[in-house]
Amino acid sequence: MKVEEAKYYHQVDTVVVGAGLAGLRAALELARNNQAVGVITKVYPTRSHSGGAQGGIAASLANVAEDSPELHMFDTVKGSDYLGDQDVIELFVNEAIKTIYEFEHMGVPFSRTEDGKINQRPFGGHSSPRACFSADITGHVLLHTLYEQCLKYNVHFFNEYQVFSLLIKDDISRGVVAWDIRNGGLHIFHSKTVLLATGGYGRAFKITSNSFANSGDSLGLILENKLPLEDMEFVQFHPTGLYKHGILLSEAARGEGAYITNDKGERFMKNYAPEKMELAPRDVVSRAEQTEINNGRGINGQEYVYLDLRHLGAKKIMERLPQVQELALKYIKTDCTLEPVPIQPTAHYSMGGVPANIKTEVLKNGNGDIIKGLYTAGEASCLSLHGANRLGTNSLQGAATFGRIAGKSMSEFVKSNAYESLPSNPLEVANGKISSLVEGSGKEKHASLREELQKNMTKFLGVFRNEKDMLTMKQKIKELQDRYKKVIIDDKGKIYNLDLIEAFELGNLLVFSEVLIEGSLARKESRGAHYRTDFPERDDENWLKHTMAWKTETGVKLDHSKKVIIYWDRYPPQERKY
């Protein structure tokens, strides 16, 4: 495979990278505002990871119990362990209601109460049932509905394209360069605006609920452009991953009343969160599970506990939780209507990501300076809506709401700005990545390096962390990065060269994992999903601040000068109990 010339040149008002909930909602908003939009996605849109979200989407509709945006805001602030920016959270909870009714009017088939209202179920950390749902396939129906709406408004999709580089010059975004996976060849997308909506990065871990596509591509692209990532140390572990597989069994199961038990048959959450029990936030439940396992109270002394749904009855399970039943039966041959299901914590969600302001504009530092024309939304972003820990059902809502806000922001930008000229050699970076993998002289294989990375990240940067383990992982990541320079792929062809794509993804995994490790080492406290056994207490005096991190030639540069936005008269930090 020789150095590429651009196979195609596209000029389009705006480019959306990623076709999950955030990307599709932004694209729809842009199209409704008569903007030409191209969506670049490395998987077919309806296979995006948002479709795997099961349990619900949060909004304070108060359809089944008293609720309000103020209560939703407090729960989200508290759930974030007070690291969430409260101006962002306030906007979010108020816009969430509008988002749900928009979805309803688009035709989303929400489950209903007997009097015809959108049904809402309880979820962990929420003080009221506010999870709007469609059985346990909520993300699936939202994604398909948005895709249909995008087709209605003539959004153009570039399916199975991998973005290899961002075109940024003088702090202005000018487009992207992408590889056509199906046919081979590089494409230049010259645009006024770019939205990064590529999802999370759970594939840095061995046990994860994330799809294979979730390799943190936006994060690698941001770092190589000498831009920062924010709060990367905060990785959420979901408590109900299928044992050994990590595949998610929805929190909807606990919302409907499922129990979690140890080897003694105890509902042990009574010892960790007596008021909320199984409906405590995910970080609390995951730590409780891992503590039981570490102390020898896993089932038969093994690395799992039980999720027990039997008392709900087969009728309710098949009506409200059919996918939970199907997944357990298909992957571990356990029928949850008849027997408890083995579960363990699984890497699930990234609170950190590409820093952005409330308008979703990408930040270049902690002072609020922006990269003109570059935006981000969904799990790839860090606004910071979720702070140190996300509440269940706030993810789908965050993606949809800030996807819409991104679309509006980008539309305004497009209308008032002209196309900027491209860099002098727009293919240089992408070609460099391709040639190093195809024409190198090394003998390393990306599959074995990825396996080592994932195994060690799960072992040393999991539910519990300490300095010794993280220093071990720091040394390991340097070794893997050095070995990656010697990676070569076997497939030299252009058509469906997944060897090339997977090797490229590994490069992203390795670079942002180093940032994650350094941020975790630096934060000498326990807050939300970041729990250090050597610093088990939250430290508001020294650590009530965000982490900004850059990748430099000499290593990772950290800055903690960006303060958390707090309404001290309304939601001051307090001890987080459930």
Side-chain angles (χ1 to χ4, degrees), residues 171-474:
D171 292 338
I172 301 172
S173 174
R174 300 153 193 265
V176 303
V177 174
W179 176 265
D180 180 351
I181 298 173
R182 280 185 289 182
N183 303 299
L186 290 173
H187 291 236
I188 293 174
F189 293 85
H190 187 188
S191 64
K192 295 180 181 179
T193 59
V194 172
L195 175 70
L196 299 177
T198 59
Y201 49 83
R203 280 290 149 183
F205 296 85
K206 178 69 173 175
I207 303 297
T208 179
S209 65
N210 283 204
S211 70
F212 285 97
N214 284 24
S215 52
D217 297 342
S218 287
L219 280 57
L221 295 172
I222 284 289
L223 289 171
E224 77 177 15
N225 279 277
K226 297 181 172 52
L227 296 173
L229 299 177
E230 181 174 353
D231 290 345
M232 288 292 291
E233 59 266 37
F234 298 107
V235 179
Q236 182 174 87
F237 289 82
H238 197 293
T240 54
L242 275 176
Y243 176 53
K244 288 189 177 180
H245 295 274
I247 297 168
L248 187 66
L249 296 185
S250 174
E251 190 167 321
R254 287 177 287 135
E256 297 292 347
Y259 302 150
I260 300 177
T261 60
N262 61 17
D263 192 40
K264 298 179 180 179
E266 295 176 316
R267 291 178 64 191
F268 56 83
M269 285 308 301
K270 66 184 179 182
N271 302 319
Y272 301 91
E275 293 184 14
K276 289 289 188 180
M277 293 289 286
E278 285 88 356
L279 286 178
R282 292 168 178 176
D283 62 322
V284 175
V285 181
S286 289
R287 283 196 295 274
E289 286 182 0
Q290 197 63 50
T291 299
E292 294 293 303
I293 292 168
N294 292 348
N295 290 337
R297 294 188 290 274
I299 305 303
N300 298 322
Q302 300 298 308
E303 296 284 311
Y304 63 88
V305 292
Y306 274 152
L307 180 71
D308 195 344
L309 298 89
R310 292 173 294 176
H311 58 285
L312 301 180
K315 181 180 178 182
K316 185 173 185 178
I317 291 172
M318 297 312 295
E319 176 188 334
R320 297 286 186 89
L321 305 165
Q323 190 173 183
V324 168
Q325 193 270 348
E326 179 185 3
L327 290 171
L329 190 61
K330 180 179 291 185
Y331 286 97
I332 58 174
K333 295 180 170 51
T334 298
D335 186 345
C336 67
T337 66
L338 302 174
E339 53 189 326
V341 183
I343 57 168
Q344 68 182 135
T346 181
H348 179 61
Y349 190 87
S350 48
M351 276 70 74
V354 181
N357 60 24
I358 201 167
K359 294 176 65 177
T360 72
E361 297 168 308
V362 171
L363 303 177
K364 60 178 290 189
N365 53 43
N367 298 325
D369 298 322
I370 66 168
I371 298 299
K372 190 177 176 183
L374 188 60
Y375 300 79
T376 184
E379 193 174 351
S381 70
C382 183
L383 294 174
S384 158
L385 169 61
H386 307 300
N389 176 67
R390 175 179 69 81
L391 294 187
T393 70
N394 273 356
S395 176
L396 286 178
Q397 185 60 260
T401 291
F402 284 100
R404 183 179 74 244
I405 290 171
K408 288 184 176 180
S409 298
M410 295 166 76
S411 182
E412 292 169 4
F413 185 93
V414 168
K415 290 175 182 178
S416 57
N417 287 272
Y419 284 94
E420 298 282 349
S421 61
L422 290 172
S424 58
N425 188 355
L427 299 179
E428 181 179 8
V429 173
N431 268 325
K433 294 176 182 178
I434 293 169
S435 61
S436 67
L437 294 170
V438 174
E439 301 168 3
S441 58
K443 295 182 179 180
E444 292 282 1
K445 300 299 181 183
H446 56 80
S448 59
L449 267 62
R450 184 183 298 105
E451 175 70 19
E452 285 192 49
L453 171 69
Q454 294 170 334
K455 179 181 67 176
N456 283 285
M457 286 291 284
T458 292
K459 180 178 180 180
F460 296 120
L461 268 293
V463 174
F464 293 113
R465 302 168 175 179
N466 62 70
E467 184 176 55
K468 180 181 177 182
D469 284 350
M470 291 189 289
L471 287 174
T472 299
M473 191 62 223
K474 180 179 177 179

Side-chain angles (χ1 to χ4, degrees), residues 548-563:
M548 302 289 277
W550 290 258
K551 181 75 169 91
T552 72
E553 292 181 0
T554 57
V556 176
K557 170 191 169 186
L558 299 178
D559 176 47
H560 296 98
S561 63
K562 186 183 180 187
K563 302 299 181 184

Side-chain angles (χ1 to χ4, degrees), residues 215-217 219-224 229 232 453 477 481 484 504-517 551-552 556:
S215 52
D217 297 342
L219 280 57
L221 295 172
I222 284 289
L223 289 171
E224 77 177 15
L229 299 177
M232 288 292 291
L453 171 69
I477 202 76
Q481 288 174 343
Y484 180 73
F504 168 73
E505 290 173 335
L506 175 60
N508 293 324
L509 292 169
L510 289 170
V511 71
F512 73 69
S513 290
E514 182 184 8
V515 171
L516 194 162
I517 295 162
K551 181 75 169 91
T552 72
V556 176

